[in-house]
Amino acid sequence: MSGWVRIVGLGPGCDGMITPEAQAIMAQATDIVGYGPYVDRIPDSPGQRKHASDNRVERERADHALELARGGGQVAVVSSGDPGVFAMASAVFEAVEADPAALDLDIAVIPGITAMLAAAARVGAPLGHDFCALNLSDNLKPWSLVERRLRLAAEADLAMAFYNPRSRARPDGFARALAILSEVCADDRLVIFARAVTTPEEEIRVVPLSQARPEMADMRTMVLVGASTTRQVGRFVYTPRSVP
Ligand code: SAH
């Protein structure tokens, strides 16, 4: 049997947002590799091995997936959302770069619905014009860079999507991020807190920047910040396609 690695996105939470392509790959795989809670989302199947690992060991997980594929395993490496967005696909390519013999393996990335898009869809079309996505975690980059990118994005009047906005280990960073936004943007700038989107715990809040509080976000929250043109129409939030 010839091995392969498919880096697969499971979407934001509900099964309906797993793509048919991702479903088919998980059904074929002999091995499922990923962070415990994501691996748990996949029903057990006879003859398929599951390898659940801890949160912060992405690189070890990637090495393990390449190793399994070398031994003939057909390996699905699973991420939430899209595997290319702050997730496992880059970790696998870091592993490949460190071990170029792995380039002989059959490796492919299978896209998924990322949290930012699921969150945006819930309120309307806040990302309907130019936008950027930022990871507010400083686990893998200096906090000064997070602040710099955030400030420049706000000055460029981009709508913004924040992944990993706030964790127990980093309770203060998001407060600082809101303070920077308040320096650059008007008080009525729309901020969307979309928590656990597409799961039974889903909670969506839309507030003006002046009412945004750090406690409104946690690690299951996607924060979307509108551009200056982003507005409300009835119960929807959208960004028009043009800038006057
Ligand atoms: N690869 C994932 C993102 C991983 S980073 C993707 O493409 O969606 C993890 C961050 O994603 C979380 O801290 C949170 O900000 C966001 N996130 C993931 N799932 C979410 C959901 N169902 N609802 C809201 N935010 C979510």
Side-chain angles (χ1 to χ4, degrees):
M1 194 164 65
S2 60
W4 45 249
V5 177
R6 297 288 178 266
I7 312 148
V8 173
L10 298 180
C14 74
D15 288 349
M17 289 200 193
I18 303 177
T19 67
E21 187 182 19
Q23 294 273 19
I25 281 164
M26 290 185 296
Q28 286 168 30
T30 56
D31 296 85
I32 307 272
V33 172
Y35 173 43
Y38 304 150
V39 170
D40 291 344
R41 281 183 58 190
I42 299 153
D44 286 329
S45 139
Q48 187 175 67
R49 288 176 298 271
K50 284 175 159 181
H51 311 269
S53 45
D54 206 19
N55 202 355
R56 290 209 181 177
V57 296
E58 287 97 350
R59 183 51 204 287
E60 290 84 336
R61 198 184 291 146
D63 288 333
H64 185 209
L66 296 179
E67 205 46 57
L68 290 167
R70 268 199 193 99
Q74 302 184 323
V75 186
V77 179
V78 295
S79 277
S80 77
D82 179 275
V85 179
F86 310 128
M88 279 308 293
S90 288
V92 170
F93 293 118
E94 286 167 19
V96 169
E97 195 170 33
D99 174 14
L103 283 169
D104 294 335
L105 292 168
D106 174 9
I107 300 174
V109 181
I110 309 302
I113 296 174
T114 188
M116 158 181 91
L117 299 182
R122 281 299 192 254
V123 297
L127 306 179
H129 192 70
D130 298 343
F131 68 92
C132 67
L134 299 175
N135 183 349
L136 294 196
S137 166
D138 61 353
N139 282 344
L140 299 170
K141 64 186 172 206
W143 176 256
S144 58
L145 184 63
V146 176
E147 285 202 7
R148 178 171 145 76
R149 288 185 172 163
L150 177 70
R151 184 181 295 278
L152 290 173
E155 285 173 359
D157 197 15
L158 292 166
M160 289 172 249
F162 299 153
Y163 287 80
N164 296 308
R166 187 165 175 262
S167 74
R168 262 169 297 190
R170 303 175 284 109
D172 301 329
F174 184 57
R176 183 74 198 118
L178 287 177
I180 292 168
L181 290 176
S182 302
E183 286 171 30
V184 182
C185 309
D187 282 355
D188 61 353
R189 182 62 61 95
L190 291 171
V191 182
I192 297 143
F193 292 90
R195 181 169 192 279
V197 176
T198 80
T199 79
E201 294 85 48
E202 176 172 310
E203 214 180 317
I204 311 281
R205 262 205 274 199
V206 180
V207 297
L209 178 57
S210 58
Q211 285 172 30
R213 296 285 165 267
E215 314 76 63
M216 291 176 179
D218 65 8
M219 279 309 272
R220 296 189 73 193
T221 308
M222 190 76 229
V223 180
L224 304 179
V225 180
S228 61
T229 52
T230 304
R231 61 187 86 161
Q232 287 177 298
V233 54
R235 64 184 185 284
F236 299 111
V237 178
Y238 88 107
T239 306
R241 292 169 301 148
S242 56
V243 175

